[in-house]
Amino acid sequence: MTKTLPVIQPNQRPAGQPPIFDKIGIVGLGLIGGSIALRARELWPSSLVIAVDQKDVLEAAMRLHAIDVAADDLVVLAEADLVVLAAPVRQNIELLAELDDNVRQPAIITDTGSTKRDVVAAAAQLPPRFTFIGGHPLAGAAQGGLERARPDLFEGRPWILTTKASDHSTPLDKLSAFVRGLGAEPRVMEAAAHDRLLAYLSHLPQLTASALMHVVGDAVGQDGLSLAGRGLADTTRLAASPDDIWKDIAATNRDEIGPALDALIEVLRALRADLAEGDRLGEVFTDARRWRERLKKQQP
Amino acid sequence: MTKTLPVIQPNQRPAGQPPIFDKIGIVGLGLIGGSIALRARELWPSSLVIAVDQKDVLEAAMRLHAIDVAADDLVVLAEADLVVLAAPVRQNIELLAELDDNVRQPAIITDTGSTKRDVVAAAAQLPPRFTFIGGHPLAGAAQGGLERARPDLFEGRPWILTTKASDHSTPLDKLSAFVRGLGAEPRVMEAAAHDRLLAYLSHLPQLTASALMHVVGDAVGQDGLSLAGRGLADTTRLAASPDDIWKDIAATNRDEIGPALDALIEVLRALRADLAEGDRLGEVFTDARRWRERLKKQQP
């Protein structure tokens, strides 16, 4: 059942850049989908931003002037020439199967999920009028939600596009121009390389931060936490993350996250065995300090 | 051999508060010792701040106007009525044994080390003219050194004083007033309780951050790190810490840090075994998010 909400007239909006896509469909208006919508409306006033989500989210998005057309049904994407799936990973995979019935013209399909191999594999079943290119903007925050969306979320951040290294197609050019327009820096790599890299850059730190906060909180309690300093606060900032998104990430990248966890557990066990001597501690700290200096230099 | 450097005349300094101690000896002018010196000179101009460290450090401290008297030998502490040992933990323990020969009058002795049981045990050998009360300002930074010292380092931060719960002595009152003057909030607890608490609040997060940075850096290399976001940066901020201080902490608190590491390893192993299902992940994330919210509320 379609419940199309009123269309906001775009003719009041200021002139912007020439459009890359005429009708931009965004499925899922959280932090990422909402931020794409906000920036796209600023940048390309003659493009229509069409959003699909639950009705309460859409109403909030209307109040934020983030979208032009809103519906809780994919049928509203019939004429979209770009569809961005911005729901959690496994929901995006389910949504792929529904596109053939709803998107009626040739379109570029992309997603914003944190793992890529499963969605790329599922996209192989799409009919030939669609071109799928996976996407992952590296611009998350520990806490998501439309209320934290902002048009400059992607400014200067990498946006990984997963396709074959040999891809020099027009759809890749258009999608690259789109994410560049949003302020991001497109980086092309294959899905498998993405999933391995992100297992270390994002998934392992997230699991570690949550495990650490869980262990420390349970051990010291509320009173103990009142004595905590900035060190614990920084190290556990990611522990504010929601578990629903992370269940999807863990499940769809478990073969890469598993060995990453093994490597960390191995180092922690070695440190534990060597607390009195500190030889391994010296090696680990020295290496870590070196990497940390390099990481710091690269932070915006 | 004593090499006393020139005394800076204190008579040019503005009037401050009435002194708590007449001659404040500080052994070790790093981040903590240097910050104590800077604030003490501001606050108590009629107190003399006497520093012991290596000559190059003392010269830098003189340039910062952080101290009144400087020497590379403990004999300069002969008339001190407060001695603050602010070197790494095991060096402080060695220094304790030298105080009887150098400090010639009754004095309060304290330290600023991150573990307390070993130093408290060693202090039991001090002659009866000294009163030892362990101290630990919870105001560190990932990177130490005199060049980062600042007079407001302790502002609003807890400063743990370790003594018996039944202690209501004058030395405890005076030392509490001293650390309150430095801007800190004194908290009294026994050494064993301190060491257990800090194993979780500080030592476990430190080892985890360094282990994580080591594993991630080695896995993804320089190119991979160029794609890292704020999540990894925050989670590994502590990995900038120096290993010499941390070898001392690990060795002198190994019986508390060991079980803390075991608890973390256990949770990481459980998450690893459950990546596909995500049940344990859901539990750990939910509990961690709850603790994280409480921690965030308590941050300054």
Side-chain angles (χ1 to χ4, degrees):
Chain A
M1 200 178 70
T2 310
K3 293 178 197 156
T4 305
L5 296 178
V7 173
I8 296 174
Q9 294 305 322
N11 56 7
Q12 304 294 335
R13 286 154 54 194
Q17 297 188 14
I20 298 167
F21 297 99
D22 292 327
K23 292 179 180 160
I24 301 165
I26 301 173
V27 187
L29 282 180
L31 174 69
I32 300 293
S35 296
I36 295 172
L38 284 167
R39 183 77 182 118
R41 282 197 89 225
E42 279 182 7
L43 205 60
W44 300 297
S46 64
S47 299
L48 212 61
V49 175
I50 306 165
V52 180
D53 206 319
Q54 293 168 359
K55 212 172 171 185
D56 57 329
V57 177
L58 294 172
E59 284 168 355
M62 287 288 192
R63 282 194 299 273
L64 293 170
H65 303 290
I67 54 179
D68 298 303
V69 180
D72 61 357
D73 192 300
L74 295 171
V75 75
V76 76
L77 302 176
E79 296 180 2
D81 53 347
L82 172 69
V83 175
V84 182
L85 304 176
V89 174
R90 288 188 288 197
Q91 204 175 325
N92 286 341
I93 291 171
E94 288 168 17
L95 286 162
L96 278 177
E98 299 180 45
L99 294 182
D100 190 18
D101 288 341
N102 289 287
V103 184
R104 307 308 303 171
Q105 70 161 26
I108 294 174
I109 317 290
T110 189
D111 76 317
T112 63
S114 293
T115 65
K116 299 266 66 89
R117 285 170 299 163
D118 283 12
V119 73
V120 165
Q125 305 304 316
L126 287 171
R129 73 177 180 279
F130 298 144
T131 302
F132 181 86
I133 297 170
H136 183 196
L138 302 183
Q143 289 174 291
L146 177 62
E147 64 278 13
R148 291 189 175 78
R150 50 197 176 86
D152 64 348
L153 183 71
F154 310 110
E155 198 60 46
R157 299 298 310 152
W159 189 311
I160 297 173
L161 298 175
T162 61
T163 182
K164 289 194 170 54
S166 58
D167 187 348
H168 299 289
S169 63
T170 303
L172 178 60
D173 286 346
K174 287 183 74 175
L175 192 57
S176 296
F178 178 77
V179 307
R180 206 176 280 117
L182 298 177
E185 294 171 7
R187 302 269 202 120
V188 176
M189 67 176 72
E190 298 205 9
H194 168 279
D195 286 0
R196 171 157 296 177
L197 183 63
L198 270 289
Y200 287 93
L201 289 186
S202 168
H203 311 165
L204 182 63
Q206 174 63 58
L207 294 175
T208 304
S210 292
L212 179 66
M213 187 76 259
H214 165 64
V215 166
V216 172
D218 283 7
V220 307
Q222 180 80 19
D223 285 352
L225 287 185
S226 71
L227 289 164
R230 193 183 150 202
L232 181 69
D234 281 347
T235 316
T236 60
R237 188 181 64 85
L238 287 176
S241 300
D243 53 306
D244 52 349
I245 290 173
W246 283 95
K247 280 183 183 175
D248 274 22
I249 294 172
T252 55
N253 204 26
R254 59 189 182 274
D255 58 333
E256 294 291 354
I257 297 173
L261 276 168
D262 288 341
L264 179 64
I265 290 167
E266 174 65 29
V267 174
L268 292 173
R269 286 168 59 96
L271 290 174
R272 198 247 186 274
D274 178 53
L275 290 170
E277 299 300 327
D279 295 334
R280 188 76 180 112
L281 186 152
E283 291 167 12
V284 169
F285 272 54
T286 301
D287 185 67
R289 205 162 52 244
R290 191 170 56 87
W291 286 123
R292 172 67 199 172
E293 280 161 17
R294 297 185 184 183
L295 175 63
K296 197 179 170 188
K297 278 189 198 138
Q298 290 166 343
Q299 286 298 299
Chain B
M1 198 178 71
T2 309
K3 293 179 196 154
T4 305
L5 296 178
V7 173
I8 296 174
Q9 292 307 320
N11 56 7
Q12 303 295 333
R13 286 151 56 196
Q17 298 188 12
I20 298 167
F21 297 99
D22 292 327
K23 292 180 178 155
I24 301 165
I26 302 173
V27 187
L29 283 179
L31 174 69
I32 300 291
S35 296
I36 295 172
L38 284 168
R39 183 79 182 114
R41 282 196 89 226
E42 280 182 4
L43 205 61
W44 300 296
S46 64
S47 299
L48 212 60
V49 175
I50 306 165
V52 181
D53 206 319
Q54 294 169 358
K55 212 172 171 184
D56 56 330
V57 177
L58 293 171
E59 284 169 354
M62 288 288 192
R63 282 194 299 273
L64 293 171
H65 303 290
I67 55 178
D68 298 301
V69 181
D72 62 358
D73 193 300
L74 294 172
V75 75
V76 76
L77 301 177
E79 296 181 3
D81 53 346
L82 172 69
V83 175
V84 182
L85 304 176
V89 174
R90 288 188 286 197
Q91 204 175 325
N92 287 340
I93 291 171
E94 288 168 16
L95 286 163
L96 278 177
E98 299 180 45
L99 294 182
D100 190 18
D101 288 342
N102 289 287
V103 183
R104 307 308 306 173
Q105 71 160 28
I108 295 174
I109 316 292
T110 189
D111 76 317
T112 62
S114 294
T115 65
K116 299 266 66 90
R117 284 171 301 163
D118 282 12
V119 74
V120 166
Q125 306 302 317
L126 288 172
R129 72 176 182 282
F130 297 145
T131 302
F132 181 86
I133 297 170
H136 182 196
L138 302 183
Q143 288 174 291
L146 177 62
E147 64 279 13
R148 289 187 176 78
R150 50 195 175 87
D152 65 346
L153 183 70
F154 309 110
E155 198 60 47
R157 296 298 310 152
W159 190 311
I160 297 173
L161 298 175
T162 62
T163 182
K164 289 195 171 52
S166 58
D167 187 347
H168 299 289
S169 65
T170 304
L172 179 59
D173 286 348
K174 288 183 73 174
L175 193 57
S176 296
F178 178 78
V179 306
R180 207 175 281 116
L182 298 177
E185 294 170 7
R187 302 268 200 122
V188 176
M189 67 175 73
E190 298 203 8
H194 169 278
D195 286 2
R196 173 156 298 175
L197 184 63
L198 270 290
Y200 287 92
L201 289 186
S202 168
H203 312 165
L204 181 63
Q206 174 62 58
L207 294 174
T208 304
S210 292
L212 179 66
M213 187 74 259
H214 167 63
V215 166
V216 172
D218 283 6
V220 308
Q222 179 81 17
D223 284 351
L225 286 184
S226 72
L227 289 164
R230 192 184 150 201
L232 181 69
D234 281 347
T235 315
T236 60
R237 189 182 63 87
L238 287 176
S241 299
D243 54 306
D244 52 349
I245 290 173
W246 281 95
K247 279 183 183 174
D248 275 21
I249 294 172
T252 55
N253 203 27
R254 57 189 183 278
D255 57 334
E256 294 290 353
I257 298 172
L261 277 168
D262 289 340
L264 179 65
I265 290 167
E266 174 64 30
V267 173
L268 293 173
R269 286 170 57 98
L271 289 174
R272 198 246 185 274
D274 179 53
L275 291 170
E277 299 300 326
D279 296 334
R280 187 79 181 110
L281 186 153
E283 291 167 11
V284 168
F285 273 54
T286 301
D287 185 67
R289 205 160 56 241
R290 190 170 57 87
W291 287 122
R292 172 66 199 175
E293 280 161 18
R294 296 184 185 184
L295 175 64
K296 197 179 171 190
K297 279 189 198 137
Q298 290 166 344
Q299 287 298 299

